[in-house]
Each structure stands twice: as C-alpha cells, then as structure tokens.
Amino acid sequence: MPWLSLLLVLPVLGALIIFCTPREQDKTVKAVALLIGILETVISLGLYFSYDFHKAGLQFIEEYNWITTLNIKYFLGVDGLSLPMVVLTTFIFLCAVLASWGMSHRVKEYFFLIMIMETAVLGVFTSLDLFLFFLFWELELIPMYLLIGIWGSARREYAAMKFIIYTMTGSAFLLAGFLAMYFLAPERTFDITQLAKAGFAPGVQSLLFVLIFLGFAVKLPVFPFHTWLPDAHVEAPAPVSMILAGVLLKMGGYGLIRINVGLLPEGVKAYIPLLATLAIINVLYGAYVALGQKDLKTMIAMSSVSHMGFVLLPVAAMTPLALNGAVLEMFAHGTVSALLFFCVGLIYERAHTREIKALEGGLAACVPKIAVAFIIGGLASLGLPGMSQFIAEFLVFLGSFPVLRLPTVLGTTGIVFTAGYILWAIKRIFYGPLNPKWAHLKDMQHSYEYLPVVILVGLTVLIGFYPALITNWSDSSLLAMLR
Amino acid sequence: MVPYAWLITAMPFIAFLIIIGVTYRRPLASALVAITCTAVSLMVSLSVLVAVIGGQTAELSLKWAEISSFKLELGVLVDPMSAVMFVVVSTITLLVQIYSIGYMHGDPGFSRFFSFLSLFAFSMLGLVSANNFLQIFMFWELVGLCSYLLIGFWYDQPGVALPPPAAGMRAFIVTRIGDVGFLIGILLLASAIPTLNFNEIFAAAEAGKLNTTLLTIAAVLIFTGAVGKSAQFPLHVWLPDAMEGPTPVSALIHAATMVAAGVYLVARTMAIFAAGPDSLLVVAYIGGFTAFLAASIGLVMTDFKRVIAYSTISQLGYMMMALGVSGAVTAGMFHLTTHAFFKALLFLAIGSVIHAAHSQEMRDLGGLGKDMKITSLTFLVGSLALAGIPPFSGFWSKDEIVHAAFASGKVGLGFLGLIVAFMTSFYIFRVYFATFWGERPAHQHGHHVHESPPTMTVPLIILAVLAVVVGWVGTPWANYFAAFLSPGEHHGGGVEGFTVMLMLVSTLIALAGILLAWAIYGRRHYDIEPLAEKSPGLYAFLSKKWFIENFYYGVIVPYGAVGLARLCAWFDRAIIDGLVNGIAGVVGGIGVSLRRFQTGYLQFYALIFFAVVVIAAVYLTLFTGLSAGI
Amino acid sequence: MDWWLLSPEIIVATLALVLLILDFLLPAGVDRKKMGVFALIGLLAALLATLDIAGSKGQLFGGLLAVDNLSLFFKIIFILAAICVFLLAHDYLEKVPGHRGEFYWLTLTALLGMMITAASSELITIYIGIELMSLSFYPLVGCLKKNKASTEAALKYFILGSFAIAVWLYGAAILYGLTGTTDLAKIAAGLGKEAGPLMYFGLFLLLAGFGFKMGLVPFHMWVPDTYEGAPTPVTAYLAVGSKAAGFAVFLRLMFTAFPALYARWMVWLGILAVLTMTWGNIAALRQSNIKRLLAYSAIAHAGYTLIGVISFNATGAAAIMFYLFGYLFANLGAFAVVIAFANATGSEHIADYAGLRWRNPFLAFCLALCLLSLAGIPPLTGFFGKLYLFLGALERGGWLLTLVIIAAINSAISLFYYVNVIRTMYLLPPKDTGELKSSPLLNFTLVVTVAGVLLALFYFQPLIGALQANDLMSAAWLK
Amino acid sequence: MNNFLVLGALIFAIGAYGVLTRRNVVFIFMGLEIMFSGVGITLAAFAQHIQPASALGQIFILFILTVAAAETALGLAIFLRLAKTHGTVQADKINELKG
C-alpha cells in the first residue's frame, strides 16, 4: 500500500475538492480541510508506530522511474530522521486548520493554499531524490506568498515579497549545489542513498557544502539571512505563522542533517569553526534581539532564530548524541512555537495589537485560559524540564560539548537570556494590576480554540516526559548515517 | 519499605494532579488532598529512615532513554543523606501546608496555592532522591519554577518593595545564571566519563581515573549552581526580594528546603569536591564571606521579614563554610537540618505577626508580646536556637561548624564564624525585642491585635519543640547524627578541653549579643534606627546592601541586558535589514536607469549596435595576438 | 532528393500563395474570416506532415537544407506559434478591417521564412530565410495603419533589422573569403588552417547579426519598443517565432561551423548571457506596461537560453529546444491574456490589472500560471526547462557553475516583477467592478497554452527522450 | 586584392556613418543600401581572388541585390506611412516608445 504517496496525494485531493465547492459554502470547505487534516495525522501516526526502528534505514520505500534520460526517480521513503518531521507536519497543519476555523475572508482560497502547502512540506520530508526534494522545496513558495500577502496585516506585501525573494535566492544556490552533486557523483544520479555511498573528494565536498548550506541557511534561518523571518511572522495571520514557525524552518534543519551531514561529512568538517560561530551567534544574537523587541510576534520569531541555533550547533559537532538532540529540538520547537503563535493570534484577534507596551497590564485576570496556555508555551520554550525543549537542548549540549567546548558553553548561557525575555514579556503582559483598557477581553470559548492548545501542550509534555518516543526512532537512523 | 521509596516523590505529584484536575473549584478539598498526600509521603519517609538506620540502602533506577549508547535514567537513591532530607522536607511541607490553611484563608487562589505547594514538594523530593546528574538538574530547575510561581503568587498586588511577579522573575533568572554553571559542570563531567550516574562518577573520581584539574573545575562549576540556588554571594540578591511571596512560601522554600538544595548538592557530590581539594577552599571562603555579608545587612534592615531572609543567607553561608572547611558532610548537613526547623519556625512566627498586624515594618510593630502569647514564645524559642544558646539545636550545629573550622586549621574562618554568631544573636533579638517588647507605637494604639487561629499556632508549637529536640541528636558527646551520616569515620570520642572551651566562648558571645539587643531595643520604641545617628556612613552602606543590588539592577540589567538588547534590535532592523532593503533599492535604481537608457531614438540604438561591432573589431585585431583568452 | 521530406514547407508555401491570390481577387467587401479558418486547417496539415516525417534524416537541395531532429522540432514550434497567433488575432483584427487577408498570408510567409532558416545549413540559404522572415514581419509590425506606435515600431524594427542584416552579411562575406565556401560543414574544415583575427572578427559580426534576432543585450535595443508598438498577436509571434528561429540557426551555425573556435566564443557568449539575463531582469523590475515587461522578460529568457549554446553538448542543444517549447506556451498564454484584457478594457498598464481575480478569475489564473512558469517555479514547464539547461551547462562544468548560479539568482530577481503582476491581480481590490468578458476562441487558446504549461510533469520525459533519441543535427562531433 | 577589401570596408563604413548621422529617414535608408553595396564589393573581391572559377560569390551578390530591392520597396512604404501618422520623417523626432 503506497502510504507515502497517499500521504502526499490526499491534500492535493482535498485541494481539488475545495476548488470545486462553490464559494459561499465555507462550512464544507472547512470540514473538508479538517477531514484531510485528521486523515493525514492518523496515517502519519500509523506510519510512525509501524516503523521498526531496530533495523535502521529507509522503510515504506516507493521508487518509480520518472525521467529516465536524466536518471531522475520518483523516490519516496522515510527513516527515523524524517518520520518525526512528518508527524510534526501533520499535527501542525491539523492545528493550523483548527486555528483558522473562525476565518471568514476568502475562505476557499485560504484552505486551498493550506492543502497545497501540506503536500509541499510533506513532500520535502519524504522525498529521497534531490530533484523531487527541490521540486517540493520550491512548491511551497507561491502558496506561502499568497497566504501572507492576502490574509496578512499592515505591511503584508512587503513581508511576502521579502520572503519569496530571500527563499528563492537561497534555493538558487541549492539548485546549483544539487546539480553539481548530480554531475560529480560517479554515475549521474539524484538518489540520496547512492550519493551517500558516492564518497566525493574532500575539496569537492566543501564546495558542494557551501552551495547547499547557503540554500538551507536562508530557510533555517542562520544569522545573516534571518531578517525575513520577523517580517514574515509579524505580517502573517496566526495559523500561517504556526505553519511557518512550526514546519517551514524545520525543512532547513532537516535538509542540513539529511544532505549536508549525511552526504558531505568532509564538507562539514572543513567548516566546523564557521558553523559553530554562526550557531552561537544565532543563539545569543537571536535571544538578545528578542529581548529588545517591542512587538510580541517579532520576539517569538527571534526566539525561533535563537532556538534554531541549537539545531545548527549539532550539525557542526556531528556527534550522534547532538544530532539526536537536533531532531528532538526541531520537533519540540515546532510544537512550542506553534503554541506561542496561536496564543498571540488569540490575543491579536481580541486586542488588535501586538505591542507589548500596549498590552501591558494583567491580562491573566481577564483572559486566564490564554494566559495559562501562553505561560506553558513560554516555560516550555525557555527549556523547563518536563517539556520537550529541555531534553532537546540538554542532548544538544551533551553531544556538542566534547567536540566544541567554547561554543557549547556560550550556547548554555543562551538559556539565561531566553528565560529573560520570555519571563519579562509574561510579566509585562499577563501579570500586574488589570489594565482597565483590556478588561473587556473575552477568554477562549470555542472548541476550535481549545483543541490546538490541548494537542500542542499534550505533545510537548508527552515528549518532555518520555523523549524515547522520538530518540529511539532518530537514534538508529543517525547512527547509520554517521557511520 | 525501601523499595517503595519512589512513593515519597510520587505522592505530592498525585496531589498536584488531583487538585488541578478535580478539586480546583473546592478550596478546602484541595487543602485536604495536599495534606493527606504529604502526610503519606512523611509516613513512608519515616519508615525509610528507620530502615536506613537499620543499615539498608538501595538505588532504584528506571531507564528513561538510551541514545547512541548513552543511558539517561530516573531513579531513587536511598542512603542516609537522602533519608534525612526526605524526613526534613516532608515534615516541614506538612506543617507549612497546615499553617497555610489559616494564613491563606479566603484567598481566591487558595487551591492554586496548594497545587503549587504540592508541585514544589514533588520537585524537592525528586531532587533529593536523584541518583544521576540529569535528574538532579531537571528537578533543580523545576524547584526554581515552583519558587517563581509561588513568589509571584499574588500577581495582581503591588507588593511591599516591588511587584511579586517582578520578584519571581528576578529569582528565576538569577538562579538560572547559577544553573548554567551547574550545567557546564555536568557537561564537563559527562565529557570525561560517558555516564551521568552519581555512583559511577564518584567511583571513577575516587579511583583517580579523572584528572584533578578537570574535577576541580567541575566541582567549582557545580558549586556555582549551589551559589545560585542557596543565594550565596554574588547571586544572593534574589532571596530578599523573594519575600514578596506569601510567608508560608518563604518559610517552606526560602528557609528550609529549596535554598538548602544547594548545600545538599555540594554534600551529595562531595566525592568530586574531595577529589579536587582547592574547590573546597572556594566553597569555604565564599560561604564565610556570604555569612558575614548577610549578617551585616541583617543588622540594619527595618523590614523584619527581610531580616530573617538575610539571616537565612548567612546561615547557608555557615553550612557552605562547614562543607568547605571539613571536607565532610556531617557538620553542614546537621546545621542544615536544625536550621530548617528553627528558621521555618521564625518565618511562620513573623508570618502570624504579619497576619495579625498587617505589616512587617519596624515602625508599625512593638509591644505585641502581651496580645500574642504563643507567637512571641515560639519566636523566642526560634531566636534562642538561631542565636546558638545551649540546649537549643542551633547551638550544637553551629558549635560543630566553628569547631570544624578551628580543627581544620582555618583559624580565620573560625573567628569569622564567632563574629557572625555574635551579629546573628544581635539582629534576631533586635527583631524579637522590637516586635514583642516595648510599647505599641503611637499611631497603632487604636488597632487591637489578637492571637492567630489554632491552625497557625499548632504548627508553631510543634516546630518550637522540634527546634529544641533535633539538636540533641548530634551533641559532641554522643554524635548519633554523624555516625548515621557517615558510618566509616570515628566521631568525637572523648570531649577534649578545647571543645568545651569553645562551647563556653560561643555561648558567652551569643548572650552578649542578646544583652546588647535588649539594651537598645528592649525598652523604647524607635521610629528611626539608633545606629543611623551614631554612624550614618556605616548605616547607609549597610542599608544599601553594600550597593550590590544597585550595581546589579542599576548597571548590569539596564545597560548589560536591556540596553544591549535594544541596541541589537536596532542593529538588526537598521543594519542587516537596511542592507537588504538597500540592495533591493540599488537594484531597483539600476532598473530605473536602464529604463531611461532606452531613449527611444532610432539612431541611438543603431549607434550602440555599431559601437559594439567597432570595439570588437579594434579589440580582436589588436589584442588577439596578446591574450589567449578573450 | 525525396520531396516528401520537404512537405511541410510545400504546404505552407502553397497555402501562403493561395491566400495571397484569394486576398487579391476577392473584392474588398467580402469577409476574410473564412480565409483564417482555411489557413488554420492548412497549418494543422503542415503540423501533421512534420510529425509524420519526425525522426527521419536527410539533405535537401544538395546540402542547402538539412532535415534532422533540430529543424523538425523547431518547425513544430514555429507552426504551433503560427496556429496560436491565428487564434489570438481572430478578434484582434477587428481593429484593422481592410488588412485581415494580408495579415494571414504575411504570417504564413514569415512562418515559411522561419522554417527555411531553421533547416538551412548554408550561409546563403540562412540569409534568404532570415530576409523572408524579416520582410514579412516588418509590415506585420506596422499593420495598424492609424496607430502612431505601430508605425514607429515598424520603422525602428526595419532600420535596425536591415542594419543588423548588413553587419551579418559583412561577416558572412569575410568567412566566405577565408574558407572559400558557404556550407557550414565545409567552413568548419576550412577554418582549421590559420585562426587569424579576421576570422574571429567575421565570427563576431555573425554573432552580432544573430544577437539582434535573438535579442541579446548589446543588440536588443529594438526589442522593448517594437514589442510595445506592434499589435499584440504580432508581438507574441515575434517573441516566440523570430527568437526561436534566431536560436535555431545560431545553434546550428555554432555547433557545425565553429567547433574549433569554441574556446574563444564560449567566453564571449558567457559574457553576453550574463549581460542579457541581468539587464533584462533588472530593467523589467520597474515596468508599468505589461507588454514592455514581457519584452524585457523575453530578453532575460534569451539570456537563459544562451546557456544551452555555451554548454556546447547534446544535452545543451536538447535543453534549448525543450526550453523554447515550454517558453512558447508560457509566452503565448501570457500574451493571450494581454490581448483579452486589451480587447475588453483597451489598456496595457499593469495597474489596471488590479483585482482581475474578481473580474475574470479564469484570465487571472491563466496569466498567473504563465508568469510563474516564466519565473521557473515548479511544477511548471519553465522549471523543467531551466533545470534541463543548467544540467547541460554543468555537464560541461568549469566556470559554467558560476553561470548557473547567476542564472538561478536572476530567476529569483525575475520572480519580483512576475509576482508583482500576480500581486496586482490577486491582492489589490479591483478599480471598477465591471465583469470582464473574453471571447471563447481566446479561452480555447488559453486552455491549450495553460495545459502546455501545467502538464510538464508528464510530457517532460517523452519529449526529451525523443529529442535525445538520435543525434540532433549532422554536427560530426555531437554524438 | 587587399585594396578591394579596403574599398569594401570603406564603403561599408561610409554607409554606416550615413545611417548614424543623417536625420531624414530616407537618407538613413540610403546609408543602408550603401552598406549592402560595400558588402557586395568585398564579396566580389573574395570571389574573384580565391575561386575565379566558381560562381558562388556572384550568386551571393545577386541574392543580396534582389533582397535589397525588395527591402527598398518595403522601406519606402513604411516611410510613407510614417510621414502620414507622425507628420515628419526626422528620425530624432520619433521617440514616443521609450522607457
């Protein structure tokens, strides 16, 4: 049963159904989207638990010849590294669909684009042919542009355009890297499994590494290329922000591990000092800029930049322990930042502002449920034990320390600044005497506002309490990859 | 009962879940659930203590995750040290919870308070029972979270000196700075030997497999964690602010249990400190200095709750000094145990004073002895224990520390200890006399004060009894406590002349402190501090807490953190974003100039065409010969 | 000499002549629309004839015209372009009642000229083909009698076209002088002796002449003005037909006549490619007229296609052919929407496209897809075309990797103005909310072109399989 | 032979100069015709010098001449149309299409 193809085709099917339903029946459109979301989650969980993690390596493989003259294959497969990402994607999209249940502006197009996005992102995580990977990688550009451009807030067009130009330029290098790899491989192929055995010369590997790293660095985002993220997050509507932070950033991280670490180990070794410094700049600079932000969403966006620094550090360290930490970090950050953006979305829906100074004044009194959700999300993101983020960061430090002593030490100081800006924001917004201006705010009532919080908090605490749920899966694959 | 030791930790967590899930709406039910669960865990810990006295120790362990042959485990380590701590923590939690029923009566967040208390009990017991570095670090941070939640409990009140949530935030971040040091210490050890389990690491350390410099650095780093949590210098600033939380919280967390976690950590990992001896020096001197610093500030504080807070910091300094000086756990742990009881007593007593007089400032208090018989009596017992008057428990443990200091040859620390003992007895009796003796201040005459309800006074009495009894366990003549804690070494067989003389001297010093306090504050009520007139300079210096807080919150936070952050935020927007928009602008500008280049004149186009051809002609004919390339 | 190899040219030639005579004989009053239908049927017949002889190889007229994969594939492109132009022009020609017949047979003669240029492997025949194509295009560009822009465009195109052809001829003369022959294969042999500066100069002059036809940068000045001035169907025809013919003959010339000088002209073309791409893209950033924007985008695409010539291998040549095939659909689709919009509102300003999504969702969707294919967004043809070109370039390797990176970044920059049009259509509210009608014929053309753009996923493999099945052209080394 | 080539090049250059400088469109076109003749001369020189026997060169010239004639007819038609619509034949007055 071609599960992975089903996983990819289902959203497209949903999109077509939505395309055919007449405009005014937005209830059916939402129902279709929700149904697809649930189906996808069920399938991905089914895949997850029927994946036998004892024998590492690719399972549920589907391989058909597509473009024979150029030796390009329609090649799908998942292993311990990509499965957690697939599950994360399906959950995040389910929560995004739920979060946009109250949407009323151009509903049909909105859910059409969300469905296309889901296929694109799942395609990236499941495809094992670089050409197919790149095709899905660029497929999510236009839907994201329209999602930010049409449903965003004030400066949405600028932010959307900046997003698309940034990512496209990044993927220009990515394409060049993939094609160069195609030609430098002993027999010309895009197939990742064969490229892994190709054994390129170190000099070649460092050139390929630079090209491909640039592509993923824009997406991760890494320090100098990150300025699109705050703009995209601030302008995007809450559900789109959830997708952007929850899943799109992970494509960069996944790509770095799968291709840069997997296929070009010598390339990584050539640039370890640079990567380590960039990772630490990401962590500390991200935390510092977040501390200095006046807008709540930019703060969380910059905190994503900071947390993604913890994904880049293991790539520089290249130890199995650290890389397991990176996979866990991507999963944890996905759920946590989606939760935070959802709460900010709720606040923005009610207070119509994201300025921390404007929101100041004991919201906990008038919107206790949102306050609790945000605080749980905040505490999770500052790495509180019992939540997934802590164990992820701990593994990252544990794995990276023997190899990169100073960067890891500097990285650990990052958790202080993270605690700083998050608690400071919580104090200013939720604590303190109730500001009469916000006394009228209504708390969460509808079920579609509760469900995402329950799902995301549940995932965070579940992985926090029992990380083996992910590390068992990713451990065997990463060990196989690094050998 | 030892195999069920994990119940001790689990019960409070079950209480937490029940309160959050089920009984959140009904306050009294939540209180009962919390108390019963703590009582159960007290019962189990007592039976474990009995079993451990009988020589039975155990290490239960559960494999949490195995990642590329690196085992992460959760476990319960049952040995003398943890057994003692189990009993101490669960007793005091039980008493504080009973006390809180009265103290928090009618508060809207009543069940929320009890849920946080149960969560705290769970974290503290988890920390004490940990058998590996990962688990101790996890519960270390969870304890920090509970202190943050409980300090900032009254989040919508303005608070005495600063809003409670701000105090909570300060507490969390300052302790987090300590935690970073602790984390790096763990990483250093984990990089030396690929396990986090205590016994394996200690065995390797004792067997000399790990080089001493690494161990010393790791020890000092672990000590920074203790410095953060036990509010030693330089990370002590958060504890006085933590007094913004309700008094039962101060009693439980910021006196008896959490702040003692740092001492427990150093005691638990003593093998590493012992393997790297100069780390013990660091511990001793920081402990000593903190003791002196905190005691000096305590002399002048007008807010009596903060006086007791500084006294806690000072006593913790004592414990650290004990550990650092003797290199053995007995003295420190014994003082920790006795201190837990009488300091909790003092806090609960001042709590009942605040509950009655609705203020903790010196100028509002005075002459309450007559109306609050039990509170004043129990406060007296606590003060005597703290000052170190025999036969009270404080005397035995403090004397042991000073004795250990002299015995180990660090005479300077020994004398420092005696000076701090004098200052301790002075400032605690200044609080006692100023609150309970003398006459009611003018503006308070009409305000009638009555004794606290039994739910508050009963725990006070129990604690008072404990404050006296606990000391007798470790007297120099028959030191059962030391024997219990470390069976191997010999303990104070005979009582040489020196120990007796030391006991006399320290008792005299304590009495002198009491007399001085009585002389100044016993009879008259002062609105302004007498010391302020005699030596304003010294008074200003001390009341400004040695300008440390001004330095931290005046310089480091606004410029170091927030200022730099605003700079980075501006840099991010202006420079990097500016650069990106700049490039886009330049490209757009070129676009516009290219459009203008298209003039529309026919002959201009032909000119360009022909010019290119002519240039090519000239270039090819002249230069082909020279350059191989173009 | 087997005549059936020549059947496509014969059909088109007879068709043109018949239409010429009919147009001449029929009195002015008679409605010429039926001539259009007749021409369409004839073109379909020509298309079938070409498909019929696809795959065969041979020489016509003793080496003047070569019949191979290259010429046949380009013929298919030209005929498809002509068919689409006929469909687009059907309603457009209401504006010029008297000259409908002329338009038809001039298009056919231009088609004939293209087919000859693509097939010829000898300098004089190339000259004949190009002149036939150009001379038919000049009146086509100027056929809107009253319109000042159309005449100005025709003037510029005429003068500069002749100028370029003169320069080209001078180059051809020099090469003839040095090698004593005009046949491309013999030229390659004749060049071996002494590679003096005169020969490089001759080559450069040829390059200048073809550069004009392909719209490469230093010789592109005519493109924006002529594209804007000419009637839109003719602009479409120019953008697809004339450019493709230019590339066909340039490909054949470079691959068969000048393999020996590859080291030198590769560098010239590299510079020209980078210049063309960047100039085309950056100049298009701030355009306000949709036709001028598509003109600069055409220039940029000429830059990308040049990479195929530079890579100088079988994949490169096949990549050019596929790229132009994909480019045909995207461009004609875009121009179809421009015509539909112009027919309904009479405006060509991008700002007026605001809110097209509400006024006519089908048109907006088609234009969006065509523009995205031009930008190279997967899974549309533009993406596959670009990728195939880059593959050819990287097969050659060396500094071509930097060329590929520059091209990829250029397509990122191009994304700005393509998405800008999409932004105006989808994001901005419509200025006036009148329903915007477009004729069924145009809708049919749109369906055909957008299908061509969308179905790349499926027809990419069969097409490139056929292209690379047997050797593209008679170039000896190109096995 | 070289002086014929030089002559051809010279005439070509004069033609080009004519195209670039004259303002009247008709004179521009005359310049173009001169360029064609320049090419014709070079071709004739080459044909005569390298292959007196074969007529390839002459055929080429003939083709150029005939096509040039056709171009003239068409060019003049365009200039006529230009005079009617723009009212002028000065090349530098015609620049509406720009930018």
Side-chain angles (χ1 to χ4, degrees), chain C residues 404-421:
Chain C
V404 162
I405 294 177
I406 295 168
I409 292 174
N410 257 298
S411 51
I413 297 171
S414 72
L415 197 61
F416 179 83
Y417 56 83
Y418 289 129
V419 166
N420 197 17
V421 175

Side-chain angles (χ1 to χ4, degrees), chain B residues 594-596 598-603 605-608 610, chain D residues 12 16 19-22 28 91-92 94-95 97-99:
Chain B
L594 289 184
R595 277 190 62 178
R596 254 186 260 103
Q598 194 78 20
T599 55
Y601 289 107
L602 167 68
Q603 282 164 321
Y605 300 163
L607 177 68
I608 292 173
F610 197 66
Chain D
F12 187 85
V19 167
L20 297 180
T21 50
R22 298 295 296 189
I28 294 173
D92 49 13
I94 302 156
N95 65 345
L97 294 172
K98 56 178 178 290

Side-chain angles (χ1 to χ4, degrees), chain C residues 394-476:
Chain C
L394 281 174
E395 195 169 326
R396 173 67 56 186
W399 62 275
L400 283 176
L401 178 65
T402 42
L403 189 63
V404 162
I405 294 177
I406 295 168
I409 292 174
N410 257 298
S411 51
I413 297 171
S414 72
L415 197 61
F416 179 83
Y417 56 83
Y418 289 129
V419 166
N420 197 17
V421 175
I422 296 172
R423 181 179 71 85
T424 353
M425 289 195 294
Y426 275 84
L427 270 62
L428 303 185
K431 288 202 176 62
D432 60 355
T433 55
E435 178 57 14
L436 197 132
K437 296 255 31 74
S438 79
S439 77
L441 196 62
L442 268 178
N443 289 353
F444 170 71
T445 356
L446 273 174
V447 165
V448 167
T449 43
V450 164
V453 163
L454 264 177
L455 301 180
L457 281 168
F458 308 106
Y459 67 73
F460 180 59
Q461 166 50 27
L463 197 56
I464 61 169
L467 279 179
Q468 289 196 310
N470 47 33
D471 53 3
L472 292 175
M473 56 186 109
S474 59

Side-chain angles (χ1 to χ4, degrees), chain B residues 35 64 83 123 170 182 268 335 340 388 399 423 441 495 542 583 587:
Chain B
I35 288 169
W64 191 32
S123 325
R170 278 187 188 179
F182 185 13
R268 173 59 74 196
H335 191 57
D399 172 63
M423 292 155 82
V495 173
L542 290 180
I583 295 170
V587 169

Side-chain angles (χ1 to χ4, degrees), chain B residues 11-280:
Chain B
M11 284 313 288
F13 190 64
I14 296 165
F16 169 73
L17 294 181
I18 294 170
I19 294 172
I20 289 286
V22 177
T23 64
Y24 198 76
R25 289 283 176 281
R26 290 179 299 287
L28 211 55
S30 334
L32 284 178
V33 164
I35 288 169
T36 38
C37 290
T38 324
V40 165
S41 85
L42 175 60
M43 241 56 81
V44 174
S45 50
L46 282 174
S47 62
V48 160
L49 182 63
V50 166
V52 169
I53 291 171
Q56 196 186 6
T57 62
E59 180 179 351
L60 322 167
S61 156
L62 170 77
K63 182 156 89 72
W64 191 32
E66 180 167 357
I67 300 152
S68 59
S69 75
F70 192 102
K71 280 195 294 306
L72 300 178
E73 58 184 340
L74 294 176
V76 176
L77 185 64
V78 180
D79 72 348
M81 211 189 298
S82 59
V84 165
M85 284 305 284
F86 281 146
V87 171
V88 165
V89 171
S90 31
T91 356
I92 294 185
T93 317
L94 184 66
L95 292 174
V96 164
Q97 281 178 338
I98 297 166
Y99 179 89
S100 307
I101 298 176
Y103 191 84
M104 298 298 284
H105 186 64
D107 188 301
F110 189 88
S111 36
R112 182 160 66 92
F113 182 75
F114 272 88
S115 65
F116 287 157
L117 276 188
S118 314
L119 185 66
F120 169 77
F122 160 67
S123 325
M124 192 61 202
L125 290 169
L127 188 149
V128 167
S129 63
N131 76 334
N132 64 62
F133 273 107
L134 171 64
Q135 184 180 345
I136 200 166
F137 185 72
M138 278 175 68
F139 284 108
W140 190 265
E141 297 230 343
L142 270 178
V143 159
L145 166 77
C146 300
S147 106
Y148 163 74
L149 291 173
L150 283 165
I151 296 171
F153 180 70
W154 289 321
Y155 53 80
D156 43 10
Q157 252 93 30
V160 173
L162 75 162
M169 186 179 76
R170 278 187 188 179
F172 192 86
I173 292 171
V174 171
T175 39
R176 201 103 207 251
I177 296 171
D179 295 353
V180 166
F182 185 13
L183 178 61
I184 298 169
I186 296 173
L187 294 179
L188 201 60
L189 284 175
S191 69
I193 169 170
T195 167
L196 292 170
N197 187 299
F198 283 155
N199 296 345
E200 286 163 23
I201 294 177
F202 296 162
E206 273 135 22
K209 289 210 196 67
L210 313 172
N211 70 52
T212 46
T213 42
L214 177 127
L215 278 177
T216 326
I217 300 167
V220 169
L221 282 171
I222 290 173
F223 179 61
T224 50
V227 161
K229 198 63 80 178
S230 304
Q232 297 299 294
F233 175 83
L235 299 176
H236 63 287
V237 286
W238 64 273
L239 192 55
D241 296 337
M243 293 308 121
E244 294 307 325
T247 317
V249 170
S250 319
L252 173 61
I253 296 178
H254 303 123
T257 49
M258 191 185 94
V259 287
V263 177
Y264 173 77
L265 173 69
V266 173
R268 173 59 74 196
T269 57
M270 188 48 85
I272 296 176
F273 284 85
D278 13 355
S279 59
L280 285 174

